[in-house]
Amino acid sequence: MIAQIEEFFNPKTADPPQDENVAIKEPVIEETEEVRKRTYHEAGFRDGSRNSGSPLALSICLNAIYARFQNEEKELVEKQQQAKEPYINEQKSKETEIKTLVISKESKEQQINKVETNIRAVKDHIEALKFEINDLPRNPEKYHISASKGASGKFWIGLIILMPLSLYLFTFYISTSYSAFFKLLDANSVTVVMNILDAKAFEKAWKDGSLEGLFVTFIPFVFLGLGYLIHMFGEVKSKWNYFKIGLLFTISLLFDAILAYQIEEKIYELNRTADDDKFGILVAFGKIQFWGIIFAGFVVYLIWGVVFDFIMKEHREKDKIKHEQLRRKKDIQIHQDKISDIEIQKAKLIEELNTFKTDSVAAQDRVKALQSIIDAVIIPTKEYVLYASEYMQGWITFVNEKLRISQHEKVVLQSECMESYHENLKKVGASEDAQNAVYVTTL
């Protein structure tokens, strides 16, 4: 510590001892740095002589020196203006940035409002579509759909009628086909009911063989298929389709006539005598049973075809409404997906808006901080350390050359003075290493 003090405050490099009555010159703008340094050096020598080099007095004097240094810097208007210029420029830049952020914030708020308006419009459209889905079955003409009201009720009524008719046709054609082609009629039971409508025809056919079973099983589907074809040809109105429909009806009638002919022939042969004519078409036409079988099958088949065609038309009416309902449900899903996309867009806009708000607040705080710097006095700590060290040299010079104490006491006193000096630098936030640091204080 002693070596450091002697090296830093070597009397050989210090200015010659000054008279104790030398006064500190008032700072003027024109004085040079060397003059100012010498002034602080002289002030340190003078104050040290007045206080006998006391460390406690040094601490008080250094506080006064720092206050004086502040006043001197404050009076150097041009220097202060030059020191504050970077802060003024930064403040202007921040104020411009704030204006830009305000414009950007307003733009984002407008975009968010527009997005919210779009979301509300889409949601309103979804609600309108939901209402239309419920209202379509009651008022299809309101939505320009050519579908009858109450089509669903007619459809179910027709379906209820069609089911027993279908069961009847299955039973009739299974029984008649089995009786016509495979059954051996009983001579003791020659009535139509007993020989045609056999309740166990399906079971007996499968017992007779798989061929017989498959034949009687699928024969009703032939007639149902003919009925379906008749309906399909009737969908498109044309002469060719009408010809096809007439041909299908003729085929159905001929098949029923064949069944009736086969059954009637078997019945006739069981009761034929030597005097009777051989069974033929003319004989069949004269039998009431022949026509009964035809009408029991073909007439019911016609009724079944009409009901089936009616049901299909009603189902088509229902399909129109269901199609429109389904289309609206798909539209709702599309709009809901659109809302999700818009919500994501809105979230991004809100995030950007919050960023602008945060940046704006930070910029405003920075402007306030810069204004505080501009309104205050900028203390260049590098210069203060320079002048404070000159003051300290003057003080130590007095202790070394003028104070009448032993060498040991001088060394101890110098150490205590150095501690007061470094404590002052720490107190005012100055450092010899802080070459370009700028400290601000408000007077």
Side-chain angles (χ1 to χ4, degrees), residues 94 96-107 355-361 363:
K94 288 294 179 181
T96 303
E97 180 182 346
I98 290 172
K99 292 179 181 178
T100 303
L101 288 171
V102 169
I103 295 173
S104 300
K105 186 176 68 173
E106 291 176 352
S107 176
T355 301
F356 290 146
K357 288 181 178 179
T358 303
D359 293 344
S360 179
V361 172

Side-chain angles (χ1 to χ4, degrees), residues 323-338:
H323 172 74
E324 293 297 327
Q325 289 176 324
L326 181 61
R327 186 174 66 83
R328 283 163 173 77
K329 288 179 180 179
K330 290 181 178 178
D331 289 344
I332 289 174
Q333 184 61 48
I334 292 172
H335 289 313
Q336 288 175 341
D337 293 339
K338 183 178 180 181

Side-chain angles (χ1 to χ4, degrees), residues 161-181:
I161 296 173
L162 186 67
M163 290 176 64
L165 287 176
S166 299
L167 291 175
Y168 171 83
L169 290 176
F170 266 87
T171 302
F172 177 80
Y173 283 112
I174 288 174
S175 297
T176 54
S177 61
Y178 176 71
S179 299
F181 298 106

Side-chain angles (χ1 to χ4, degrees), residues 2 5-6 406-416:
I2 294 172
I5 295 173
E6 290 178 349
S406 65
Q407 186 64 30
H408 176 71
E409 289 176 330
K410 286 183 179 181
V411 171
V412 173
L413 182 60
Q414 289 175 1
S415 299
E416 293 176 352

Side-chain angles (χ1 to χ4, degrees), residues 264 268 279-293:
E264 189 59 32
Y268 185 82
F279 189 80
I281 294 177
L282 295 177
V283 176
F285 283 171
K287 298 291 184 177
I288 190 63
Q289 294 90 343
F290 174 80
W291 296 106
I293 295 172

Side-chain angles (χ1 to χ4, degrees), residues 172-181 196 215 219 223 252-266 289-290 293-294 297:
F172 177 80
Y173 283 112
I174 288 174
S175 297
T176 54
S177 61
Y178 176 71
S179 299
F181 298 106
I196 298 176
F215 182 82
I219 195 68
F223 289 91
S252 300
L253 179 60
L254 289 175
F255 194 84
D256 283 337
I258 291 172
L259 291 177
Y261 185 87
Q262 289 286 98
I263 295 172
E264 189 59 32
E265 182 182 15
K266 288 183 178 182
Q289 294 90 343
F290 174 80
I293 295 172
I294 291 176

Side-chain angles (χ1 to χ4, degrees), residues 46 66 78 130 161 166 184 197 208 210 223 245 277 308 331 347 359 378 406 409 417:
R46 182 202 64 192
Y66 183 72
E78 184 176 351
K130 289 180 178 179
I161 296 173
S166 299
L184 297 176
L197 302 179
D208 292 344
S210 58
F223 289 91
I245 292 172
D277 296 331
F308 177 78
D331 289 344
D359 293 344
I378 298 179
S406 65
E409 289 176 330
C417 288

Side-chain angles (χ1 to χ4, degrees), residues 332-350:
I332 289 174
Q333 184 61 48
I334 292 172
H335 289 313
Q336 288 175 341
D337 293 339
K338 183 178 180 181
I339 288 176
S340 299
D341 295 338
I342 297 176
E343 289 287 356
I344 294 174
Q345 180 184 359
K346 178 183 174 182
K348 290 181 179 179
L349 291 173
I350 292 175

